[in-house]
Amino acid sequence: SSFMNFYSKEDLNLIKKAFNLRISAQYYIDKMIDKKDAEFIFINASKFLTKSKEILSRINQDEINSIRENYF
């Protein structure tokens, strides 16, 4: 299994933007955060959370193990 079986390219883009903004906010206090990216994340976070909960409710242990082996 792959993340792409569960998440779209747009979902993965959201994860990447959120991760990058978190790093900027946590480690680079004087760096300005892109307002458009922050708004994009804020607007889409609840949809992403709902989708993630749905995925977690139907994923099986074999799929979890496959993702872990391929990505972690």
Side-chain angles (χ1 to χ4, degrees), residues 29-46:
I29 296 173
D30 59 341
K31 187 174 179 181
M32 295 298 295
I33 293 175
D34 186 312
K35 187 175 180 177
K36 288 190 333 188
D37 284 346
E39 288 175 357
F40 175 78
I41 292 164
F42 185 75
I43 289 168
N44 290 290
S46 64

